[in-house]
Amino acid sequence: MSEIDQATAAALGWPKSKYAWVERERRWLCKSVPFERVVSAEVYTDLYVEGTQLRLREAVAVGGGARMLRLGRKADVTPAVRLLTSIYLSPQEYRLLSTLPGRTLQKTRHSLGKIDGADVFVDVFEGALSGLIMAEAEFETLEAMERYPMPEFAVREVTDDVRYTGGMLVVDGLPDGHAD
């Protein structure tokens, strides 16, 4: 967590930063999924809990498999860097927490594996966000994130556009001018 000082972490609600990790990611809009590069896919159902930074997630591998259930908390330091915590849940815990008020977002996440040292994913959104296809790349260091090129299958970077974060999309829907 070297680029995030303890005072910033504490101000975001992490008084003991050892319980959080740093996520560094960039995001791009895409016209399609590069299916020839997909190594796996999962269907995500996310409940963004009203009035909080909490997200309840159910992930199921395409083709079946065990459900992965977890509760996460995110706080943005910048549009590209955030602190996260996450706990895995039993089906009973998930069922109880799924009754909390909030908004649901559904998407299929296609993993492309490592590309030039970054973990790359392409999300295809459903429901009110149908038509939105967004790639994201996650990085180990700030330096790797800053020097990473836009993938050839992407059309526009939206990392700094907070309207394309899950929490904003689930509340506000597709941004005005999205199809431009």
Side-chain angles (χ1 to χ4, degrees), residues 70-115:
R70 72 176 185 223
L71 178 65
R73 181 171 176 253
K74 291 184 173 191
D76 290 345
V77 176
T78 70
V81 178
R82 64 197 46 82
L83 289 170
L84 286 98
T85 55
S86 187
I87 60 172
Y88 292 93
L89 304 170
S90 70
Q92 296 80 9
E93 292 165 333
Y94 179 85
R95 201 170 23 261
L96 174 67
L97 294 172
S98 69
T99 64
L100 292 170
R103 295 181 187 231
T104 301
L105 180 149
Q106 291 186 301
K107 63 186 179 183
T108 299
R109 171 160 286 180
H110 301 85
S111 174
L112 307 185
K114 289 258 188 219
I115 299 177

Side-chain angles (χ1 to χ4, degrees), residues 128-150:
L129 299 172
S130 183
L132 176 60
I133 302 173
M134 193 163 41
E136 69 177 49
E138 296 179 357
F139 305 91
E140 293 294 321
T141 67
L142 203 52
E143 296 77 24
M145 181 179 76
E146 290 170 348
R147 70 174 179 265
Y148 198 81
M150 182 169 82

Side-chain angles (χ1 to χ4, degrees), residues 23-94:
E23 179 182 67
R24 298 165 199 87
E25 74 176 17
R26 289 176 57 195
R27 295 179 302 279
W28 300 270
L29 297 179
C30 302
K31 290 198 182 288
S32 62
V33 177
F35 285 107
E36 70 281 359
R37 298 178 110 165
V38 172
V39 295
S40 65
E42 293 180 305
V43 176
Y44 286 0
T45 302
D46 293 336
L47 173 68
Y48 287 82
V49 180
E50 190 176 305
T52 74
Q53 297 173 318
L54 300 175
R55 180 187 68 199
L56 186 64
R57 172 168 282 174
E58 175 187 43
V60 179
V62 170
R67 296 186 318 157
M68 186 276 304
L69 309 170
R70 72 176 185 223
L71 178 65
R73 181 171 176 253
K74 291 184 173 191
D76 290 345
V77 176
T78 70
V81 178
R82 64 197 46 82
L83 289 170
L84 286 98
T85 55
S86 187
I87 60 172
Y88 292 93
L89 304 170
S90 70
Q92 296 80 9
E93 292 165 333
Y94 179 85

Side-chain angles (χ1 to χ4, degrees), residues 5-23:
D5 61 75
Q6 186 54 49
T8 300
L12 292 170
W14 276 268
K16 294 184 178 184
S17 59
K18 69 180 182 177
Y19 297 114
W21 73 89
V22 177
E23 179 182 67

